[in-house]
Amino acid sequence: MHLGRTTLSKFLIQELDGTEGARDLAALLIDVAAAVKAISAMTAKGALAGVLGSLESENIQGEVQKKLDVLSNTAFVNTFQMGGLVAGIASEEMDDPITVPSNKRGPFLTIFDPLDGSSNIDVNVSVGSIFSILRAPVGREVQPSDYLRSGREQLAAGYAVYGPSTMLVLTVGKGTHGFTLDREVGNFILTHPGIRIPADTNEFAINTSNERFWEPPVQRYIAECKAGKTDIRGKDFNMRWIASMVAEVHRILMRGGVFMYPKDTKDPSKPGRLRLMYEANPMGMVVEQAGGFASTGRGRILDVTPEQIHQRIPVILGSRNEVERIERYHQEYDTGADQRYSSPLFKERSLFQ
Ligand code: F6P
């Protein structure tokens, strides 16, 4: 037993000191940690607990649900319903949010992805949970539109990564901090205070099998990274793709990098793969609080006004200078400033000039 270590509870008491509703927010984040511990135990047991594999069901996104998707969702929902701190619960795995009865209602709304990257579960690769906390309306029933607030309004956000160790990484708007689960004792211990993402990097993460579906500015950026020292970047890059956003963002918080799931034309009905409310907004807050930047390619993610709870969005996040460069490439494409990579509209115009 190590004495004098900062537990999550002690950290939250200190971090939230003087903040309005501090006790309730700290208590809710401790509830999040309780659900995370339950999910961590299930994922760690894997096949021994009979939790691997898929169900017959699909979620609202049309994805086949894994057993652990549903079990993780239940772990969060039960914890929040019993905790008395939320008025509404929205999950990527549920068609509609749950409204908590008025006699059990608390001051917050929670929005979460209970098990992100769950296609990795059956192959024993890291997965995670992502959460976001908003203030609930006062003195009335929660309406679906109450969830549709920009990422700037998040009171807290974070994720848990179930890897070789389980970590909880969160922000209450005063920096991003990481806690490691001490399994024997059952406590989250502050191990990574004040995480900072370096502004520059030579590592990128993108699913390159989609390359032909990307927009030209993304093709341009990746082509330059791949050309490395032989082209304008003047340095070689490395590529990673875990297919688990949580693990990808965690690596970026630990050593920098850029993660992209950009707009593509693979399925024209979807403007991106990732979900604004369950993935992009909470990860955007975590990344920006660590000094990084999160963009759609055409603007800051946290400034987007949501239209639907299950809305999808392009996501480009990580080391600030790289994300800003990618935004610039989008702008040059949209305005025709770069003839090699400008939109067809501008190419046509220049032909006739
Ligand atoms: O649905 C989210 C997600 O699983 C992310 O965690 C991950 O980054 C991405 O999808 C993986 O996508 P793909 O299957 O294209 O590699």
Side-chain angles (χ1 to χ4, degrees):
M1 179 85 178
H2 306 266
L3 292 175
R5 298 192 300 176
T6 303
T7 60
L8 176 66
S9 325
K10 186 173 165 189
F11 171 86
L12 290 171
I13 290 166
Q14 287 167 359
E15 186 81 351
L16 289 167
D17 188 30
T19 314
E20 193 198 330
R23 277 179 54 151
D24 285 343
L25 185 55
L28 178 56
L29 289 167
I30 290 165
D31 276 355
V32 169
V36 162
K37 283 183 219 171
I39 299 167
S40 172
M42 287 191 283
T43 53
K45 285 201 184 104
L48 297 177
V51 293
L52 303 188
S54 302
L55 297 166
E56 305 267 291
S57 53
E58 282 188 355
N59 64 13
I60 180 99
Q61 331 282 340
E63 298 160 344
V64 173
Q65 286 181 306
K66 297 278 178 190
K67 285 184 196 165
L68 264 172
D69 282 324
V70 174
L71 290 167
S72 306
N73 192 59
T74 306
F76 273 111
V77 169
N78 287 350
T79 308
F80 290 141
Q81 278 183 325
M82 287 187 297
L85 292 158
V86 300
I89 305 168
S91 162
E92 190 193 295
E93 295 299 331
M94 304 190 304
D95 295 8
D96 300 305
I98 295 174
T99 301
V100 176
S102 55
N103 58 339
K104 294 186 183 150
R105 197 180 291 161
F108 304 109
L109 301 176
T110 56
I111 304 175
F112 59 92
D113 178 355
L115 202 67
D116 186 68
S118 57
S119 68
N120 277 327
I121 259 297
D122 296 342
V123 291
N124 200 11
V125 170
S126 296
V127 289
S129 306
I130 310 174
F131 66 91
S132 162
I133 297 172
L134 293 170
R135 198 171 294 289
V138 180
R140 63 166 174 83
E141 281 283 298
V142 177
Q143 304 297 323
S145 58
D146 290 320
Y147 293 91
L148 304 180
R149 308 227 296 274
S150 86
R152 290 191 313 271
E153 293 194 45
Q154 294 172 107
L155 299 174
Y159 66 83
V161 57
Y162 311 108
S165 56
T166 290
M167 282 191 69
L168 182 63
V169 174
L170 58 81
T171 178
V172 293
K174 298 187 203 171
T176 294
H177 310 280
F179 302 79
T180 304
L181 180 61
D182 184 339
R183 285 183 205 274
E184 283 75 43
V185 184
N187 271 338
F188 275 105
I189 305 295
L190 180 65
T191 48
H192 296 69
I195 298 170
R196 302 303 293 169
I197 300 175
D200 293 301
T201 182
N202 55 2
E203 204 159 65
F204 65 90
I206 191 164
N207 182 347
T208 47
S209 70
N210 292 328
E211 185 158 7
R212 70 183 189 282
F213 303 111
W214 299 336
E215 290 188 289
V218 174
Q219 290 172 337
R220 170 187 179 185
Y221 175 77
I222 296 298
E224 288 175 0
C225 291
K226 288 202 285 190
K229 277 185 185 148
T230 66
D231 198 12
I232 62 152
R233 298 310 308 270
K235 61 179 182 179
D236 287 335
F237 280 74
N238 202 358
M239 197 201 85
R240 290 284 180 272
W241 190 249
I242 308 173
S244 177
M245 185 197 196
V246 170
E248 228 87 63
V249 169
H250 191 66
R251 184 188 61 250
I252 288 171
L253 285 168
M254 295 296 107
R255 67 179 191 210
V258 60
F259 166 86
M260 311 173 73
Y261 219 116
K263 183 175 172 194
D264 65 39
T265 55
K266 199 171 183 181
D267 177 348
S269 69
K270 295 177 185 164
R273 172 168 168 105
L274 302 178
R275 271 50 58 135
L276 173 60
M277 308 299 292
Y278 310 108
E279 291 162 322
N281 269 344
M283 289 310 208
M285 183 175 181
V286 165
V287 163
E288 291 202 4
Q289 285 292 318
F293 186 37
S295 169
T296 64
R298 295 183 167 89
R300 188 181 178 217
I301 285 176
L302 297 185
D303 287 340
V304 173
T305 304
E307 286 165 9
Q308 286 174 26
I309 189 89
H310 294 292
Q311 176 175 347
R312 294 177 192 255
I313 192 161
V315 174
I316 298 164
L317 58 77
S319 291
R320 178 167 280 278
N321 291 342
E322 293 301 306
V323 180
E324 284 177 355
R325 174 185 284 267
I326 300 163
E327 273 201 340
R328 175 161 60 81
Y329 288 5
H330 280 80
Q331 203 203 3
E332 288 175 3
Y333 171 69
D334 291 346
T335 59
D338 184 325
Q339 285 299 311
R340 289 169 309 153
Y341 291 94
S342 59
S343 85
L345 185 71
F346 291 102
K347 280 197 185 124
E348 257 169 48
R349 196 179 293 162
S350 60
L351 276 179
F352 294 105
Q353 266 169 3

